Amino acid sequence: MRVGVFDSGIGGLTVVKSLLEHRLFDEIVYYGDTARVPYGVKDRNTIIRYALEAVEFFKNFDIDLLIVACNTVSAYALDEMRAQAPFDVVGVVEPGILAAKNALANSDSEVLVLGTKATVGSGAYQQLLTTHGYRNVEAKATGLFVPIVEEGLFEGEVLESTMHHYFAGCKAPDAVILGCTHFPLIAGAISNYFGDKALMIHSGEAIVEYLEAHYGIQESAANTEMKFFASENPDGLRQVAAQWLGLPTP
């Protein structure tokens, strides 16, 4: 099977990493809209327009499925993308909720959702968690983490100061839903901030769990061919992919 993965930038590579580790697809085509990242500060109509342009891009490839790794697009534009796409389109919000349900049996668990301003403002995670019976849900817009990750600052003073800015006074939750594909790259730092109490739930493992449950996709690929595209500086994206995914340097 051939799958497309779309993200606003490089963060979707965290989803690709999980797909590669579980060997679900023979080919992965990745497109990052690096020229216009981040999406999380943009209005709904702009997000939908960019998402539909991505659908047009992936029509150039004979993909079986498109994974929208961007939580902001998943929260705002899936219906429009599905109406225009000749292939199935899967977002990351619903898989994230599935992963939370499987990990947290107690509906009184305290859940902290982190995401961009747009993702948190959509209420997508909060509404679905409430629908599934979780009563202690808090959501924080932590958009500064996106450029920090894009700059490769996965630890250090800048990240520590930003976490203190967002989390000062926060009680350690039982679980943190990393509602942006950039955030798994700083999951260790976030976990350490909360004293390792909180379970980290991120889109990569969540989407694998979802694909296995809803599409019956199982480990089958002996080798996975990778193709990387970006709206700006594609060579830079390939260099980051090689570093994060352990691929040969292009």
Side-chain angles (χ1 to χ4, degrees), residues 3-249:
V3 66
V5 177
F6 168 55
D7 189 68
S8 60
I10 62 175
L13 294 173
T14 59
V15 171
V16 171
K17 184 174 183 178
S18 293
L19 298 178
L20 287 173
E21 288 174 347
H22 290 270
R23 301 195 299 177
L24 298 184
F25 298 99
D26 299 302
E27 184 176 339
I28 298 174
V29 180
Y30 184 93
Y31 173 61
D33 192 5
T34 48
R36 301 186 290 199
V37 66
Y39 281 14
V41 296
K42 295 175 171 62
D43 64 86
R44 180 178 183 274
N45 289 336
T46 300
I47 293 165
I48 291 173
R49 176 163 57 87
Y50 291 173
L52 294 181
E53 289 174 5
V55 170
E56 291 304 310
F57 172 84
F58 280 103
K59 285 181 179 178
N60 294 301
F61 303 89
D62 186 23
I63 63 172
D64 301 290
L65 176 73
L66 175 60
I67 296 173
V68 178
C70 178
N71 282 263
T72 299
V73 173
S74 296
Y76 284 97
L78 283 190
D79 288 343
E80 289 81 0
M81 295 179 78
R82 287 166 174 160
Q84 185 169 303
F87 36 74
D88 281 1
V89 179
V90 175
V92 288
V93 174
E94 188 177 349
I97 299 299
L98 172 65
K101 282 181 59 183
N102 290 341
L104 299 170
N106 185 356
S107 58
D108 288 322
S109 297
E110 295 181 345
V111 183
L112 176 61
V113 179
L114 305 181
T116 64
K117 180 180 178 181
T119 299
V120 170
S122 75
Y125 277 103
Q126 301 94 300
Q127 291 166 14
L128 281 172
L129 285 165
T130 300
T131 298
H132 288 291
Y134 291 97
R135 293 183 281 271
N136 298 306
V137 178
E138 181 182 3
K140 280 186 174 293
T142 54
L144 288 174
F145 287 153
V146 175
I148 286 173
V149 169
E150 292 274 336
E151 287 293 326
L153 303 176
F154 307 143
E155 57 185 3
E157 184 178 348
V158 172
L159 179 56
E160 291 292 333
S161 297
T162 306
M163 288 193 295
H164 181 73
H165 168 71
Y166 285 132
F167 303 144
C170 280
K171 180 182 177 183
D174 296 300
V176 176
I177 294 180
L178 302 170
C180 175
T181 47
H182 287 74
F183 296 175
L185 291 156
I186 54 171
I190 294 172
S191 179
N192 289 337
Y193 186 94
F194 288 118
D196 296 326
K197 175 183 182 295
L199 174 69
M200 299 288 122
I201 297 173
H202 70 85
S203 300
E205 289 304 304
I207 199 72
V208 168
E209 191 174 356
Y210 183 87
L211 292 174
E212 290 174 345
H214 290 263
Y215 284 85
I217 298 175
Q218 301 289 332
E219 180 176 316
S220 61
N223 295 291
T224 302
E225 181 181 353
M226 297 293 312
K227 293 180 179 177
F228 296 101
F229 300 91
S231 56
E232 183 178 83
N233 192 16
D235 289 338
L237 171 66
R238 294 185 187 104
Q239 290 286 346
V240 173
Q243 177 186 352
W244 289 3
L245 305 176
L247 302 175
T249 302

